[in-house]
Amino acid sequence: MSSGGCSHIEHLEKLLTSKAYECEACVKIGAEWVHLRTCQTCGVTLCCDSSPNRHASKHARAVSHPVIASAEPGERWLYCFPDDAFAEY
């Protein structure tokens, strides 16, 4: 996948997709989300930074999983947190 030089995105071997259309962390605490992102290291689906709890970026920082994919229907993009890189697929 072309990513403008981001080795994290370029080395992805397969796309991990959401198992369910929900933020796993928000469901546990009864919170709501705006958009969903799926971690490309472990496959967890969490809420975006427009959501009140920002679980996806918190997860990325806490466990050093660099790349997320949009889990929104019709969106086909990846984002790398440490490289601030974006790629469509």
Side-chain angles (χ1 to χ4, degrees):
M1 294 180 205
S2 177
S3 63
C6 171
S7 63
H8 300 108
I9 292 175
E10 289 173 3
H11 288 99
L12 291 177
E13 294 184 15
K14 72 174 197 167
L15 182 69
L16 301 178
T17 58
S18 61
K19 296 170 192 72
Y21 189 75
E22 63 186 22
C23 172
E24 294 181 26
C26 284
V27 167
K28 290 178 184 174
I29 62 172
E32 295 185 15
W33 58 86
V34 177
H35 301 288
L36 298 171
R37 311 294 181 231
T38 301
C39 175
Q40 294 302 293
T41 302
C42 68
V44 65
T45 297
L46 300 165
C47 60
C48 70
D49 280 357
S50 296
S51 300
N53 291 295
R54 302 176 178 182
H55 287 122
S57 60
K58 287 178 182 176
H59 169 79
R61 284 190 303 275
V63 296
S64 298
H65 290 174
V67 180
I68 57 169
S70 175
E72 293 299 310
E75 293 185 0
R76 297 175 54 89
W77 56 262
L78 300 160
Y79 178 74
C80 176
F81 287 101
D83 294 336
D84 190 26
F86 176 86
E88 293 182 314
Y89 62 89

